[in-house]
Amino acid sequence: MPDAGSAEPAVPRESDEWLEADGLGGFASGTVSGLRTRRYHALLLTAARPPAGRIVLVNGLEAWVETGSGTFALSTQRYCPDVVYPRGFEAIRAFSAEPWPTWSFHLPDGTGIRQEILVDPDACDTLLRWQRIAGEGPCRLTLRPLLSGRDYHALHRENAAFDFTARGQGGNVAWRPYPDRPAIAALTNGQYAHEPTWYRRFLYAAERDRGLDDVEDLASPGLFSFPLEGVQPAVMVLRVGDGTALRASAYAEWLAAQARASRSAAGSRLRRCARSYRVDRNSGSTLMAGFPWFTDWGRDTFIALRGLLLALGDLETAEGILDAWAGVVSGGMMPNRFPDSGDAPEYNSVDAALWYIVAVHDFLAAREAAGRAVAEPVGARLRAACEAILSGYMSGTRFGIRADRDGLLAAGEAGLQLTWMDAKVGDWVVTPRIGKPVEIQALWFNALHIAAARWSPRFAEAEIRARAAFRERFVNPAGGLYDVVDVGHVPGATDSSLRPNQIFAVGGLPAAILEGEAARTVVDVVERSLLTPLGLRTLAPADPAYIGHYAGDPRARDGAYHQGTVWPWLLGPFVDAWLAVRGRTEAAKAEARGRFLPPLTAHLDAAGLGHVSEVADGDPPHRPGGCPFQAWSLGEYIRIQRMLDVATT
C-alpha cells in the first residue's frame, strides 16, 4: 500500500488479513480494509476453556470523525444484498502490521487519523487507539461497539434476550449480553451515551464464498465520543469481565508498554508470528493448528513444533508440550484433536503418534546439540510414551492399525480417514487410503529407527524388515512410488496415484528410507508434476480426479482438499529431499535459496500477513485459501530457512 504522501492510494484488499493473538487462545483479527469478511473477524474473542470454547464478544465498531467540514467514516461494513457502507477504507493511505496493526486515514479536508489495534499477549485485552496526525480545528471521534456474545463458529441474530443494560460511569462501561456468557468491559477516556439499537444483516463475503451461512445481526448498546484536537489519543480497552474501575489512559499505556516489550523480546517479525500459535492448555502450553478456526490438533502440533519451537530454540516450551502429550497415549495412539466442547480426546489418526516420536527425537537432538540434558523424569516419560506407541502398533490397536507380517504398517477401516489426507463429507471419505500408505511406512520406519538407536536394540529387527519390505513393494515401475499398497487390505493391490506423500521416503524425517538413484527418481517425479511456488500439489494435474481450484461449498472444498490443492507445509519435506539427493552442497543450497524461498517470503505479505496459508489452488496463479494463519505452514517455512542457512527474519 502506498505511503501517506501518495496521491493515488491503492484500495486495500479484503483478502489481506491481520491477526493479534493472546496466549489463551483468544484473538483479534480482521482485514486491512477494515471490512469484516468472516464470522471469525472480531475485536474481542476469548477462549472460555483455553484454548477451546471460543466466544466472540465484540465483533467490530462503527467509527466516524466530525470536523468543521463534515462527518467522515473510518469504518467499513458490508450489508445484504451486497452493499458496502460506510466506505472508510477509501480514506486509508497506509497500513503496517508492525509492531502491531496500524492504519493512517487521510480525510478529504486534510485531517489525518492514526488507528492502532493490539492485543495483550498474556490476557484477553484489546487496546484500540486513535490520534489526530494532521489537520486543524474541531475534531471529534465517535465509536459504536457492535456486540454479539456467540460461539465463534456460529452467527448472531436479533433477539429479545439480548441485555443492553450498561454498568459503569463516564467512559468506562460494562455489559453482559447473556447470562451464560462473560461480561464485556469497554474502558475509555471518552464519554458514553446509552442508545441501544440493532445493526441488521451484515454480510460476510468469505463465508458466502465458502457456501456457509453469511448473514448476522449485531447489537450496539451506545456511543463513545472523544475529542481529537490535541496530542492526547482516544483510547478504548476491550476486556472480558468488568474492570470499570481502571483508569483507561494509564491502563492503555501499560498495555502498550507490555506489548512493545513482548514483541521486542520475541525478536524478528517471523519469530513474533511464530509465537502467535503458542497458547495455554490447562497448566501447560500447546500449539494452535491455525487461526481463525482451528484449535490444537495432535498431528499438526508435532509437525509444527519442529519449526515453530525447535528451529527457533524454544526447547522449554517444546519439552512441556511433549511431556503433556506423553500422558494421553491410549492403545498406542495419540489423540488427533481435543474437541471444542468437552475434554474427551478423539483418537482417529494413524500418523499423529508416529509424528510424536519424530518430534521427541528432534527435541532430544536439539537438547544434545545445545549441551543441555533432559531431566530424567521427563526423559523417562517421553521414552515410555514412544515405546507404548510402538508396542501398541506392533500388537494392533484401533481401526485396523497393526504391523503386518511383511513388517509394514497396515491401517484403516471403511468410513474412516486416518492419514493427514483426512477430508470427509458425511459418509464420503474422499481419500480413504486404507491399506499401507507410503508416508505412514516412512514414519513407521523412522519411529523404529529412532527407538532402536536411542532406547532399545529390540526394535532393530523390525526396522530392518520395514525398510526391506518398503524397498521391495513401493517402487512404481512407471516412476516414483505407489501411494498405497495392499489397498483395502487386499494383498498386492496398489494405488499408483501420483501424490506428494512419497516425498517422506526421501526427506522431511530424521532418516531416509530410500537413497541413491531411487531417491533421486522420487524427487524428480514430485518436482516435475507436483511442485508449485507455494508448495506441493496433492495430486498430479494429469490425473482424471485432479481438481485445480479449492473453492465452493463445504462438499466442493473437501472434495478438492487433497485432490490437487497445494499445501505449503509439504515444501519443507520437499526441499529437504531435494537437498539430500544433491549431497547438501553449498551450491545446492544457493540454488534452493533462489528457487524455493522467494515465493513463500513474498506470501508473508499477502493473505494472512506475516504467516503462511493452509492451502493454495493447484492451478496457476495458485491463489491462497483455507486457513490464512497455519501453524505447520509457517513452521516448515522456518525449517526451510534453517536448512538453507538463512537467518529467521
Side-chain angles (χ1 to χ4, degrees), residues 605-616:
D605 293 319
L609 301 180
H611 297 255
V612 182
S613 297
E614 178 188 13
V615 297

Side-chain angles (χ1 to χ4, degrees), residues 141-423:
L141 170 70
T142 303
L143 306 174
R144 257 198 180 276
L146 303 171
L147 313 182
S148 61
R150 59 162 170 83
D151 180 271
Y152 78 136
H153 290 312
L155 289 172
H156 192 242
R157 300 312 298 261
E158 181 177 357
N159 65 88
F162 190 97
D163 187 351
F164 285 96
T165 303
R167 303 165 189 83
Q169 57 183 353
N172 286 7
V173 182
W175 311 275
R176 188 159 194 164
Y178 299 105
D180 60 344
R181 294 289 192 242
I184 307 162
L187 315 179
T188 80
N189 60 354
Q191 289 294 315
Y192 176 72
H194 194 62
E195 295 183 14
T197 191
W198 283 93
Y199 280 65
R200 302 174 181 89
R201 297 182 63 75
F202 290 99
L203 174 64
Y204 299 140
E207 306 298 326
R208 176 193 60 193
D209 295 344
R210 298 173 74 228
L212 302 173
D213 295 343
D214 52 25
V215 179
E216 177 159 60
D217 304 329
L218 299 173
S220 181
L223 305 91
F224 293 89
S225 61
F226 311 79
L228 281 183
E229 296 167 6
V231 297
Q232 179 71 17
V235 303
M236 172 179 280
V237 178
L238 300 171
R239 67 194 317 259
V240 178
D242 192 329
T244 52
L246 292 168
R247 290 184 60 246
S249 294
Y251 189 53
E253 285 301 318
W254 181 83
L255 285 175
Q258 289 285 102
R260 193 173 291 109
S262 174
R263 284 158 169 77
S264 177
S268 68
R269 174 197 190 194
L270 205 55
R271 287 176 177 271
R272 294 196 297 275
C273 290
R275 285 189 61 178
S276 301
Y277 299 95
R278 196 184 81 190
V279 300
D280 294 341
R281 176 180 278 284
N282 300 324
S283 59
S285 296
T286 189
L287 291 176
M288 306 303 294
F291 293 98
W293 51 73
F294 291 131
T295 55
D296 52 337
W297 291 60
R299 175 192 297 119
D300 297 64
T301 295
F302 309 138
I303 294 173
L305 178 149
R306 301 197 300 159
L308 297 182
L309 299 179
L310 299 182
L312 296 179
D314 190 354
L315 305 186
E316 286 71 22
T317 301
E319 178 179 305
I321 291 174
L322 294 172
D323 194 17
W325 281 85
V328 292
V329 179
S330 170
M333 296 185 71
M334 275 285 184
N336 193 33
R337 76 178 187 117
F338 294 89
D340 281 347
S341 58
D343 295 321
E346 297 179 356
Y347 292 88
N348 57 354
S349 164
V350 61
D351 53 344
L354 301 175
W355 276 112
Y356 176 82
I357 296 176
V358 170
V360 167
H361 168 273
D362 284 5
F363 163 70
L364 294 175
R367 278 285 205 180
E368 292 158 3
R372 298 156 60 188
V374 177
E376 179 54 33
V378 175
R381 288 193 292 270
L382 299 181
R383 172 179 176 174
C386 292
E387 291 191 347
I389 291 166
L390 291 168
S391 296
Y393 277 29
M394 283 179 163
S395 60
T397 186
R398 303 172 180 88
F399 312 129
I401 299 172
R402 67 193 185 283
D404 208 351
R405 282 177 288 186
D406 61 359
L408 299 176
L409 193 70
E413 294 177 355
L416 295 173
Q417 70 285 24
L418 298 181
T419 72
W420 82 274
M421 290 187 162
D422 58 359

Side-chain angles (χ1 to χ4, degrees), residues 534 548-552 565-566 603 613 615-626:
L534 287 183
H549 295 279
Y550 177 77
T565 297
V566 169
H603 178 69
S613 297
V615 297
D617 285 346
D619 286 352
H622 309 295
R623 176 188 59 88

Side-chain angles (χ1 to χ4, degrees), residues 110-123:
T111 300
I113 305 293
R114 180 171 59 240
Q115 172 184 287
E116 303 170 273
I117 301 177
L118 65 97
V119 169
D120 179 29
D122 300 316

